[in-house]
Amino acid sequence: MSKLQKILVRARRQVFSEMVGNNPSVFHGEGYDFIELREYMAGDDIRHIDWNITAKMQRPYIKVFREERELNVVLVSVLNGSVHFGSKKFKQDSIAEVNALLAYSTLKNGDLLSSYIFTDKLISSAKPSKKLHQVQKTTQEILDFDALNQKLDFKVIADTLYKRLKRKSLIVVIGDFFEIPDFNVLAKKHEVVAIIVRDMLEEKPPKMGFASLVDPQSGATLEGDFNASSVESYAKKVAAHDHKLFEILKKHRVRFTKVYTHKSASVELRRLFEGR
């Protein structure tokens, strides 16, 4: 199978198949709120009859529901140059997997799905839909996109989404977040969630000795002796960056989780959303 087919098959199996642990959608809610019981009237849907109460009262009673307002889920993939990196698979591939999992979960839940791809500008967008083919289309776009040397501008992302999204939405931003976003204004209008996709080598790099490295975002070449001291110094800088990132996200009321390229994204996503 192609990379796209593998991602889609695995994501669909994890979201829809009852054979895999009978997992529910990561987004909770069944689409309806139970309000009350009342006596059955001609024309009522017999599927809503409460048979236990009917047996006790000796006349038919039905459950009355109020339809919940469907979620408007917006998936935002951030594909700057640094996602073109990975020890076992590229972060870009993991972003595609996260997108597919959340997209299928959205549609399984009966909610509206829209998708965006950004660098330092809007690359593509898909209007709100409940059609499965949109998942394949957006996932393919993510996989095919040439992220090398692409820059990132979180201000463009926040401003564009604020202007475009009129209805209150659940916005899920998926990227590696090596730059710190300001989602303060956006989070006041919408619910914003950050999925931080990383590779373990970025946070705990090995000693490599003398080496030449190329920055996939800027294209700049860095040569030097990557010994124990320099590697430890780099790891501390990444940890300090992430500490600041987490503090800013918390301050702006943005929930977040980290997904590593070598781990199962579905497990981390379920932990994040199960408390919704």
Side-chain angles (χ1 to χ4, degrees), residues 26-243:
V26 296
F27 301 121
H28 289 287
E30 299 181 1
Y32 294 91
D33 255 345
F34 172 69
I35 300 176
E36 62 180 355
L37 288 166
R38 66 163 170 79
E39 281 194 60
Y40 175 85
M41 295 188 297
D44 285 337
D45 190 336
I46 61 172
R47 293 175 299 177
H48 293 163
I49 291 177
D50 187 316
W51 295 106
N52 289 329
I53 299 299
T54 295
K56 289 179 182 179
M57 304 300 292
Q58 294 299 301
R59 54 183 183 273
Y61 273 76
I62 68 163
K63 294 178 180 178
V64 179
F65 295 88
R66 176 182 62 235
E67 189 170 0
E68 290 182 348
R69 193 175 179 186
E70 61 192 359
L71 279 173
N72 188 45
V73 180
V74 181
L75 303 182
V76 181
S77 298
V78 184
L79 302 181
N80 52 308
S82 59
V83 304
H84 188 79
F85 176 83
S87 53
K88 295 191 179 295
K89 72 181 174 193
F90 284 162
K91 289 183 287 181
Q92 187 166 345
D93 295 348
S94 289
I95 290 172
E97 290 180 7
V98 170
N99 178 86
L101 280 166
L102 294 178
Y104 280 135
S105 289
T106 299
L107 298 180
K108 177 185 178 182
N109 220 44
D111 296 321
L112 280 170
L113 169 70
S114 54
S115 305
Y116 289 81
I117 295 176
F118 280 96
T119 54
D120 57 351
K121 59 182 179 292
L122 175 61
I123 300 299
S124 68
S125 63
K127 294 179 180 179
S129 171
K130 292 187 178 183
K131 296 180 180 178
L132 283 172
H133 74 81
Q134 183 171 317
V135 183
Q136 178 174 337
K137 180 176 180 294
T138 304
T139 306
Q140 183 74 71
E141 280 187 77
I142 295 169
L143 291 172
D144 289 346
F145 185 74
D146 185 4
L148 275 174
N149 301 320
Q150 295 287 347
K151 304 295 189 296
L152 162 65
D153 191 333
F154 272 124
K155 187 176 187 306
V156 168
I157 296 173
D159 290 349
T160 302
L161 294 174
Y162 189 87
K163 292 174 183 175
R164 283 190 168 222
L165 302 176
K166 306 302 182 185
R167 174 182 165 187
K168 183 175 175 63
S169 303
L170 170 60
I171 303 173
V172 185
V173 184
I174 315 162
D176 61 15
F177 287 86
F178 275 116
E179 293 186 29
I180 296 179
D182 183 351
F183 289 147
N184 187 33
V185 175
L186 188 65
K188 288 179 178 177
K189 182 179 179 182
H190 305 281
E191 181 180 357
V192 182
V193 174
I195 309 296
I196 304 164
V197 178
R198 294 282 179 83
D199 189 277
M200 281 301 297
L201 284 189
E202 295 175 308
E203 299 181 4
K204 297 180 180 178
K207 293 178 288 184
M208 295 178 286
F210 188 84
S212 178
L213 304 178
V214 178
D215 184 339
Q217 181 160 300
S218 67
T221 301
L222 174 64
E223 294 183 342
D225 183 8
F226 297 92
N227 53 33
S229 176
S230 60
V231 164
E232 183 181 355
S233 175
Y234 166 82
K236 286 181 178 178
K237 288 180 180 178
V238 173
H241 165 87
D242 282 357
H243 178 74

